[in-house]
Amino acid sequence: MKTFCGRANPTTGSMEWLEEAEDYDYHQEIARSRYADMLHDKDRNVKYYQGIRAAVSRVKERGEKAIVLDIGTGTGLLSMMAASAGADFCYAIEVFKPMANVAVKIVEKNGFSDKIKIINKHSTEVTVGPDGDMECRANILVTELFDTELIGEGALPTYEHAHKYLVQEGCEAVPHRATVYVQLVESKRMWSWNKLFPIHVEAEDGEKIIVPPSEMENCPGVPSVCDIQLNQMPSRDFTTLSDVMTMFSVDFSKPVQSASTCYRVQLEPVKSGKAQIVLSWWDIDMDPTGMINCTMAPYWVKPTSALQWRDHWMQCVYFLPNEEPVLQGEKVYLTACRDEYSVWYKLQKAREEENKADVCVESPVCRCHAHLLWNRPRFGELNDQNRTHQYIKSLRKVLNTDSVCLCISDGSLLPVLVHCLGAKQVQCFILVFRSLQCSLAFFSANHLEDKIKVLEARPELLKPSHFEDKKISVLVGEPFFSTSLLPWHNLYFWYARTAVTSHLSSNVTVLPQSASLHMMIVEFQDLWRIRSPCGICEGFDVQTMDDMIKDSLNFRESKEAEPHPLWEYPCKSLSDPQEVLTFDFRKTVPQHCLSTEGSVNLLRKGRSHGAVLWMEYHLDADTSVSTGLMQISNEKGNCEWNPHCKQAVYFFSSVIESETLSDPGAVTYAIKFDTKTGEIAMDFKL
Ligand code: SAH
């Protein structure tokens, strides 16, 4: 037996369905899936139900039997809605086997087994005919195959195939249509996620400027979508240069073409400025009249009272290949190009209008290597002047003309900083992991190609000859590694430091000298929904789904923390932040485990949804950099998080509610860092 599992291809960004042996550990996939979030999305569910009822009625009014095709049925929800609305029969297709199994159970529990047939296949494998999966073609097509970018989960090829082989001509589709909207903006904050800004360094011998390689200037970047909770982006962080424009629509009731194409709109900027970013979102009309509309429009476009929080559909940030000055009232053309799975944008001045051949650009391919190495938050982090300043301040204290420096971090600018700060004699070695080409381009843009020696070896394989038989006097790291998912994965620095111990001088300075793990109990405004059981959804019992998620969460003996960029997910602190573990980089990684136990008092009333954990790096005795909490901004406990990093969130299996301040309670914890596996296990009791 085989199980199908969906994966995003890291190179193309497209969705792949891979066959895995049945013992494949799909629990992780279920535990972290977005099904719960979708089931909590009231606005979506209500509108789907309305749209489905209307479609069934239209078919019935024509005197036809209502035969539904539900592609990607998940829990079976939309098919159950159709059956309740009077559909005669539903074919519910689900490619992910564990989900298809759950759908069978849910459909049975809700009493629809005679009306709904669950088919565990990819829709393109489904057959129609007397001996086929479906007896006949359907006349109602219901799907929910959309991601934040609309088409990223393969909706277009799926629709294209369904219209050719699985549904009748003139079928009703729910949703009936999707429309993609765009707005042109200038935003230093968002632009800093895509380009590296010059870095100004105050050195002993005057100010120096570190510049990015010129290839980065016009580099179109990578096609993977940048999806964020745009509603958390304060209006002071961007300037809108255009009105909201309709970019393109797709009518799902007619044959759909998935082949690459372009759409173009004329814009008249409402303001002069630098066009850098295209913000984009979509809406879906559940019926042909457009009366049942479900929109992802951000807060400045629609009244906040109408905002439905959801994490499975957000908004997109697209970066133009280069920034383009625009003048108020002076028309420009914005082109959206798409292939089967992704969308990208290009802006053209009116005078280039004739040049249509040039318009349908190819999918962006990063030429400067930086976009392959650094993701968007990492660009933001490298552009964070405050952070850079902390490193400069600290490096300045330790570097001198005799320094022999080794830098251990992925795609780091530290060696360049070291060089700017130190006198010419500084010997600088950099251990590169995945960042060779990008690092080299960077060094050469700053005329340092022969000043910094790149070592392409695993730390444990380094020999004295790699360091020209010198001992390292300064070992630096940010630390940052692109393979890190959870905050403590960057402790790889400690392991690499341990592996190079024999090359360090006896009085070596290690920067950062240590790290600490911090923890705080929080109440989330919304994020709790993604891991919270749903029970009944629009009158249908979906508890079997909740149980499956719970099983998957319990599957590993220890529950795991998961990474989330908390600047996008407001929460308030219920306890003081607490330092729970420290890691001394001046020493090697110990053989024994590091563990701690204790309790934190809850100081505010609220619902304890979970614990947030993050790392702080202590560059020296008085300089620290936090990758988590920046500050608690008011007496209500609202938290401000480092906007460039993901924090670890450990959701409690049950929520405690402290109503009164007199007895707010406490949370006890046990946290263990296994130095053998590098894993952190944790347990909390409320
Ligand atoms: N319809 C459900 C679930 C939507 S999630 C709801 O609205 O609540 C989308 C589901 O579609 C996922 O379970 C995914 O596994 C499945 N899927 C995506 N593309 C598919 C395809 N072409 N054929 C079959 N299943 C597909």
Side-chain angles (χ1 to χ4, degrees):
M1 283 299 279
K2 303 278 186 179
T3 301
F4 281 99
C5 291
R7 289 237 176 101
N9 180 305
T11 324
T12 65
S14 67
M15 203 63 185
E16 297 174 338
W17 294 100
L18 305 174
E19 266 193 335
E20 301 272 4
E22 197 173 35
D23 58 358
Y24 168 75
D25 174 14
Y26 57 73
H27 289 284
Q28 187 70 6
E29 194 145 335
I30 292 165
R32 303 282 177 257
S33 69
R34 294 172 174 215
Y35 293 106
D37 181 32
M38 291 189 290
L39 296 174
H40 282 294
D41 186 343
K42 180 87 187 157
D43 179 61
R44 175 198 91 118
N45 300 339
V46 165
K47 285 166 179 169
Y48 259 99
Y49 210 169
Q50 289 172 353
I52 288 169
R53 281 200 197 100
V56 172
S57 309
R58 288 197 300 277
V59 169
K60 293 264 164 180
E61 273 163 26
R62 296 201 290 260
E64 295 169 23
K65 276 191 164 187
I67 308 296
V68 176
L69 171 64
D70 171 10
I71 303 181
T73 198
T75 52
L77 180 70
L78 305 182
S79 285
M80 293 193 292
M81 287 178 175
S84 296
D88 294 278
F89 202 77
C90 302
Y91 294 101
I93 322 296
E94 176 53 57
V95 68
F96 188 38
K97 183 153 190 254
M99 272 319 294
N101 292 345
V102 164
V104 169
K105 289 188 196 143
I106 293 180
V107 162
E108 192 183 299
K109 198 168 171 191
N110 287 276
F112 292 109
S113 295
D114 57 333
K115 292 265 185 213
I116 300 174
K117 178 180 176 189
I118 307 288
I119 300 165
N120 177 209
K121 279 189 175 180
H122 191 269
S123 60
T124 52
E125 305 293 320
V126 170
T127 54
V128 182
D131 304 319
D133 299 310
M134 300 169 66
E135 230 167 76
C136 60
R137 287 181 175 231
N139 53 7
I140 300 179
L141 175 57
V142 177
T143 70
E144 203 275 57
L145 300 168
F146 314 115
D147 68 345
T148 295
E149 201 176 21
L150 188 71
I151 64 171
E153 278 173 16
L156 294 178
T158 294
Y159 271 108
E160 182 169 38
H161 174 271
H163 277 288
K164 276 192 191 142
Y165 303 105
L166 307 178
V167 298
Q168 297 170 20
E169 206 184 309
C171 78
E172 301 287 342
V174 184
H176 176 79
R177 166 190 327 110
T179 307
V180 172
Y181 301 90
V182 292
Q183 192 167 24
L184 195 63
V185 307
E186 169 175 343
S187 165
K188 188 169 182 214
R189 175 166 176 198
M190 289 185 260
W191 195 237
S192 82
W193 301 344
N194 182 52
K195 300 279 167 177
L196 199 72
F197 302 154
I199 301 169
H200 296 257
V201 183
E202 285 297 335
E204 309 251 288
D205 47 344
E207 193 195 61
K208 295 179 185 171
I209 302 176
I210 301 176
V211 294
S214 59
E215 306 90 87
M216 197 183 278
E217 195 117 318
N218 294 311
C219 180
V222 282
S224 62
V225 67
C226 175
D227 51 346
I228 62 164
Q229 292 282 359
L230 204 47
N231 288 319
Q232 297 308 319
M233 181 65 64
S235 52
R236 63 170 183 273
D237 282 350
F238 62 97
T239 310
T240 55
L241 301 179
S242 80
D243 292 329
V244 175
M245 307 287 292
T246 298
M247 197 70 228
F248 65 92
S249 328
V250 187
D251 181 344
F252 297 123
S253 70
K254 306 234 159 63
V256 167
Q257 251 114 48
S258 68
S260 301
T261 186
C262 286
Y263 311 89
R264 200 154 75 133
V265 293
Q266 196 182 53
L267 293 178
E268 210 174 283
V270 294
K271 209 170 173 172
S272 301
K274 279 183 278 186
Q276 297 167 324
I277 307 280
V278 176
L279 298 180
S280 173
W281 57 88
W282 49 262
D283 67 12
I284 40 182
D285 284 319
M286 296 299 183
D287 75 338
T289 68
M291 298 288 279
I292 314 166
N293 180 271
C294 183
T295 176
M296 307 311 127
Y299 67 88
W300 64 93
V301 180
K302 68 171 179 183
T304 41
S305 58
L307 286 179
Q308 159 80 49
W309 186 86
R310 43 171 76 94
D311 206 40
H312 62 116
W313 293 332
M314 297 182 271
Q315 294 80 25
C316 301
V317 178
Y318 293 99
F319 306 94
L320 292 171
N322 36 14
E323 57 183 13
E324 197 80 65
V326 294
L327 292 172
Q328 184 180 345
E330 200 162 284
K331 292 188 181 75
V332 289
Y333 291 90
L334 183 66
T335 304
C337 301
R338 64 149 187 82
D339 56 19
E340 286 185 323
Y341 297 97
S342 61
V343 185
W344 58 97
Y345 285 88
K346 194 177 169 176
L347 191 74
Q348 287 178 305
K349 290 282 167 65
R351 61 180 185 284
E352 298 163 39
E353 186 197 352
E354 309 310 325
N355 207 355
K356 285 202 178 114
D358 185 46
V359 167
C360 210
V361 285
E362 278 180 11
S363 164
V365 178
C366 170
R367 291 188 295 256
C368 73
H369 302 286
H371 298 94
L372 303 173
L373 173 66
W374 298 324
N375 60 16
R376 279 79 183 225
R378 175 66 173 158
F379 265 97
E381 184 173 52
L382 291 170
N383 280 319
D384 181 340
Q385 286 182 9
N386 244 329
R387 178 177 181 272
T388 306
H389 185 72
Q390 302 294 315
Y391 281 92
I392 292 176
K393 208 170 79 181
S394 196
L395 280 170
R396 199 180 273 143
K397 290 187 210 164
V398 301
L399 290 172
N400 60 48
T401 50
D402 303 324
S403 297
V404 178
C405 184
L406 171 64
C407 174
I408 304 180
S409 267
D410 261 3
S412 175
L413 305 184
L414 280 183
V416 184
L417 278 185
V418 164
H419 242 278
C420 279
L421 292 169
K424 288 198 181 58
Q425 293 90 324
V426 173
Q427 290 259 345
C428 194
F429 301 94
I430 175 172
L431 202 53
V432 303
F433 298 94
R434 287 154 280 267
S435 52
L436 181 63
Q437 270 170 308
C438 181
S439 303
L440 291 178
F442 217 90
F443 301 155
S444 91
N446 291 281
H447 312 293
L448 293 172
E449 56 272 59
D450 52 351
K451 304 266 169 43
I452 297 168
K453 186 168 169 194
V454 173
L455 309 173
E456 264 187 290
R458 296 167 54 85
E460 57 275 20
L461 300 179
L462 290 171
K463 296 189 188 69
S465 58
H466 282 109
F467 303 107
E468 293 159 17
D469 293 312
K470 297 194 175 73
K471 291 282 184 191
I472 305 297
S473 64
V474 183
L475 177 68
V476 297
E478 299 192 39
F480 172 89
F481 301 98
S482 50
T483 44
S484 297
L485 298 173
L486 287 161
W488 45 87
H489 292 168
N490 284 323
L491 285 176
Y492 178 65
F493 177 72
W494 202 13
Y495 289 81
R497 176 256 178 261
T498 303
V500 300
T501 299
S502 64
H503 307 292
L504 305 179
S505 73
S506 57
N507 58 350
V508 64
T509 304
V510 183
L511 185 162
Q513 61 179 28
S514 64
S516 48
L517 180 68
H518 297 247
M519 189 222 19
M520 190 169 75
I521 311 298
V522 302
E523 173 184 78
F524 286 109
Q525 189 178 301
D526 298 295
L527 190 65
W528 59 272
R529 291 171 208 274
I530 66 168
R531 300 290 168 256
S532 148
C534 184
I536 304 289
C537 181
E538 296 309 305
F540 303 101
D541 182 344
V542 294
Q543 205 193 317
T544 313
M545 179 70 211
D546 297 336
D547 295 344
M548 175 164 91
I549 294 176
K550 210 159 130 205
D551 277 357
S552 291
L553 283 170
N554 293 336
F555 175 72
R556 282 144 205 276
E557 328 115 54
S558 60
K559 242 182 81 176
E560 282 175 20
E562 43 186 290
H564 291 283
L566 289 187
W567 73 267
E568 296 182 60
Y569 303 99
C571 65
K572 69 176 195 181
S573 75
L574 298 184
S575 75
D576 278 334
Q578 190 143 328
E579 181 176 304
V580 285
L581 285 177
T582 56
F583 313 94
D584 189 350
F585 297 157
R586 289 165 297 190
K587 303 197 179 111
T588 56
V589 178
Q591 295 291 315
H592 57 85
C593 293
L594 303 179
S595 49
T596 182
E597 283 179 14
S599 84
V600 273
N601 291 326
L602 297 174
L603 306 173
R604 285 192 185 81
K605 30 180 207 185
R607 296 159 62 87
S608 302
H609 290 127
V612 177
L613 298 105
W614 68 94
M615 297 288 283
E616 293 189 6
Y617 296 105
H618 309 293
L619 305 187
D620 56 46
D622 19 64
T623 317
S624 293
V625 176
S626 171
T627 64
L629 189 68
M630 305 310 281
Q631 63 169 14
I632 294 176
S633 39
N634 55 24
E635 70 292 344
K636 287 191 198 124
N638 293 339
C639 303
E640 216 177 281
W641 299 97
N642 182 321
H644 314 302
C645 300
K646 286 185 179 176
Q647 292 75 33
V649 178
Y650 183 97
F651 287 99
F652 297 151
S653 36
S654 59
V655 171
I656 54 159
E657 193 142 8
S658 48
E659 285 297 348
T660 57
L661 259 184
S662 52
D663 181 25
V667 175
T668 60
Y669 60 83
I671 297 175
K672 184 166 125 187
F673 176 58
D674 184 334
T675 53
K676 295 260 161 8
T677 61
E679 278 164 22
I680 291 194
M682 55 193 94
D683 192 27
F684 294 88
K685 288 202 175 62
L686 308 165

